Every structure is written in C-alpha cells, then in structure tokens.
Amino acid sequence: MQFPDRRMRRLRRTPALRQLVAETSLSPPDLIAPLFVREGITQPEPIESLPGVVQHTQQSLVAEVGELQARGILAVIIFGVPAQKDPQGSAAYDPDGVAQVALRELRQSFGDDLVIMADLCIDEYTDHGHCGLLTPEGKVDNDATLEIYGRTACVQVEAGADIVAPSGMMDGQVAAIRSALDDQGHAETAILAYAAKYASGLYGPFREAVNVELPAGQDRRAYQQDWRNAREAVEEVRLDIAEGADMVMVKPAVTYLDVIARVRQEFDLPLGAYHVSGEYSLIKAAAANGWIDEQQVALEQLVAVKRAGADFVLTYFARDIAELL
Ligand code: PBG
C-alpha cells in the first residue's frame, strides 16, 4: 500500500496535540445570552419549547445575569414581554415598558462591566404580531415603522442599553435609528444590525417565549429574507453598513454557515450570528430522547459558527457552554 507520507493522524493522537493545532477557539466572551423579561409575573415562567430558558421577572433577570457574569459572559440581549399589546406596539417605546425597566435595573446593578444589548423590534408588543405598523389593508408599512424604531432606540438607550439591535427587517431601519440616536445626543451608542435575517421556520420556540402569534396563514416573508438567497444577504449587509451599522449579524446560524462565511470574506466589521430558538430546541429534544450528546452537539455547532467566520454568537446555550468552557 503506497500513499504520500503525510499522516494526518499524527497531530490527532492526544488531546494536547489536538489543542495545539486547533484552528478555532470558543470562549465565554464569544457568547451572548438572549434573555426574556415578562411584565406582571411574580415567578419565572418556564418556556416549554425552550427547555432551560425562562421568562424572567425583573428580579430573577438580575440574578441570572449575575450568574452569567460569574461564568465569564460579558454581554446579554434583552427581549421584553409586555402585559398589554396594541396595534402600535406602544410598550416598546414606553420609557416604563418592561424592557426599559429591565435595562435600567441591569445598568444599575452591573454598571459598565456588562454589555447590554436591546433587541429593537415591535413584534413582541403588537397585538397582530408583526414587526411593523400595519396599513389599513393589513400590510406592514415600512416607512411609518421607521419613526417608531427611532423612538424605541432612544428610549432603550436612555434606559441603559449600550447597543441597540434592530431585528425587524424594515428597509432603511439602520439609517433611521442612527439619525434618531444622533439627534437625541446618543452618537456613542452602537448599532448591531440583524442584517441578514431569514424568514426561517426555526423561530417557533421564540414565539412562545415572547407570546407572539401571527394571525393564521400569515408569515414574515414579505420582509424577512428568502432562504434560497445568499448573494442577497451580502447586499443586505452592505446596505446596513452604509446606513451606519457598527456590527452585523446573520440569523439563523447553522443553516446559514455559507452566508456567515461570505459576509466574513467581504466585510471587516464585527460579525455575529444568532443560534436561534429552533436550533437550540432541536438539540434539546434529541438529547432528551438520548439520541445525541447535548453538550457535544451544542459545542460542535457553536464552534462551527465561529469557524465559518462569526466573532460572536447569540445563543440560549450561553450559560451551559460557558460553564463547560
Ligand atoms: C423579532 C425577533 C425574532 C427573533 C429575534 N428577534 C423572531 C422573528 O423574527 O420572528 C427570533 C429569535 C429566535 O428564534 O431565537 N423581534
């Protein structure tokens, strides 16, 4: 048997050798924990389709962030679940809305040691569940929504957010938010753009987490991206950067590794990926059946996202994996 004397196994023989030649690393500061805070509850509420994740009370949220910090996590992203929803999603930009109360408490408790991101969208706050205002015909009104996003950004920053993260996929949202922030004296606040966000089937458990249900037969395909397209994602990112994004993100993560790799190749801004609720739940469910090893698969997927080119990953595994690392 003849083959070139290049035995790849030589460097795989021991854990130390493998560590020496590892091309990708994952550490707690790479992980950002998405956290839900719900108005009007007195106990944290489990989310059935996201085992291990809860809707927090204001109190339990602060406690959770303390534990994440103890495990080396530097950043969290906050989602609010309001007690009341309306067509305009007004709790999203109410200075006393549930997310703003949380941002204020976190800032007070953790000062600048914690990077606080605020998801910026109104779907958690609208009674129709869409990410924007609706026209009388029931279509999502892009330009009318921009003004609302600008207001929401200012309220979030005034409550304590370091970074606002628009996830609504309205055209021009980054520019509108940048200009609203600058007008209100918040030139130092950064924007993390959910730049390439697909109309994915993997957001199902998230919608339970934030109590959002779209009317039957409706979806977000008129504003989120078609999953058949990758070049389009590059253009989305290009536009968001031109509009003033400081960091960009691809979402979901594992189904879109090619998109992450392409964006990494084309742009030099910090790049994140969102390992979304469905990605988490698939692993949890298979592991609960004893079919896969939860920690190994979670680690494998998060490392894959970094290997593809992401600098940081938003993940519901943040706490567990940080502990493991
Ligand atoms: C929209 C938003 C969604 C997610 C984050 N921000 C849901 C959607 O677009 O339908 C999904 C995150 C996840 O599934 O973990 N505000």
Side-chain angles (χ1 to χ4, degrees):
M1 175 68 184
Q2 283 257 306
F3 57 92
D5 193 25
R6 284 281 295 118
R7 291 182 179 269
M8 298 302 283
R9 291 178 52 181
R10 285 172 189 144
L11 298 177
R12 292 178 197 149
R13 195 169 47 81
T14 67
L17 280 166
R18 294 194 289 274
Q19 177 70 27
L20 182 75
V21 298
E23 297 174 31
T24 310
S25 67
L26 184 71
S27 59
D30 301 329
L31 306 173
I32 297 171
L35 297 171
F36 303 103
V37 57
R38 178 167 168 192
E39 189 171 30
I41 53 171
T42 53
Q43 290 291 319
E45 283 277 331
I47 302 160
E48 202 187 330
S49 56
L50 279 177
V53 181
V54 301
Q55 295 175 325
H56 282 287
T57 65
Q58 297 289 352
Q59 246 188 352
S60 73
L61 179 75
V62 172
E64 171 79 6
V65 172
E67 292 182 24
L68 290 167
Q69 256 196 344
R71 289 165 176 76
I73 303 247
L74 297 177
V76 297
I77 182 163
I78 301 301
F79 294 88
V81 186
Q84 304 289 339
K85 306 191 184 210
D86 62 29
Q88 290 78 37
S90 53
Y93 40 95
D94 176 346
D96 297 316
V98 60
Q100 282 67 259
V101 173
L103 295 169
R104 229 173 275 130
E105 299 231 345
L106 291 176
R107 181 58 68 212
Q108 248 165 34
S109 305
F110 299 99
D112 285 342
D113 291 339
L114 179 71
V115 176
I116 307 177
M117 303 184 176
D119 182 80
L120 199 173
C121 193
I122 61 171
D123 65 317
E124 297 91 352
Y125 303 93
T126 54
D127 53 11
H128 46 73
H130 279 294
C131 298
L133 301 175
L134 299 184
T135 64
E137 299 75 45
K139 296 243 181 326
V140 174
D141 188 338
N142 190 91
D143 295 13
T145 302
L146 297 181
E147 194 266 326
I148 294 284
Y149 283 0
R151 256 204 272 173
T152 304
C154 292
V155 167
Q156 290 177 333
V157 173
E158 282 151 22
D162 294 295
I163 297 174
V164 295
S167 60
M169 290 299 280
M170 298 300 125
D171 289 325
Q173 62 185 15
V174 173
I177 289 165
R178 183 73 272 157
S179 106
L181 288 173
D182 292 352
D183 282 352
Q184 295 300 309
H186 304 305
E188 295 213 329
T189 301
I191 300 175
L192 164 61
Y194 284 72
K197 174 171 174 180
Y198 286 86
S200 173
L202 291 162
Y203 306 147
F206 174 90
R207 300 203 180 138
E208 185 198 337
V210 294
N211 304 349
V212 167
E213 209 175 333
L214 288 175
Q218 294 194 24
D219 57 44
R220 302 197 201 288
R221 291 172 202 234
Y223 41 106
Q224 299 180 350
Q225 281 182 254
D226 187 320
W227 61 64
R228 292 171 291 192
N229 300 343
R231 295 194 304 265
E232 184 190 15
V234 177
E235 185 61 11
E236 282 280 5
V237 172
R238 190 186 317 285
L239 283 167
D240 279 3
I241 293 174
E243 289 179 28
D246 301 283
M247 309 192 278
V248 293
M249 185 151 68
V250 173
K251 175 184 173 188
V254 174
T255 317
Y256 300 89
L257 293 178
D258 60 322
V259 175
I260 295 170
R262 261 167 108 147
V263 171
R264 172 75 301 156
Q265 211 164 28
E266 301 243 1
F267 305 101
D268 290 326
L269 257 51
L271 170 62
Y274 198 143
H275 190 261
V276 301
S277 58
E279 298 181 286
Y280 173 88
S281 300
L282 287 169
I283 294 173
K284 281 281 184 184
N289 276 300
W291 295 339
I292 60 171
D293 178 323
E294 176 180 325
Q295 282 192 336
Q296 190 190 329
V297 176
L299 201 57
E300 181 179 344
Q301 292 203 356
L302 298 175
V303 168
V305 171
K306 281 207 71 192
R307 192 190 63 232
D311 299 306
F312 56 92
V313 192
L314 280 65
T315 171
Y316 303 96
F317 283 115
R319 183 196 170 113
D320 288 355
I321 295 298
E323 196 162 341
L324 182 71
L325 299 171

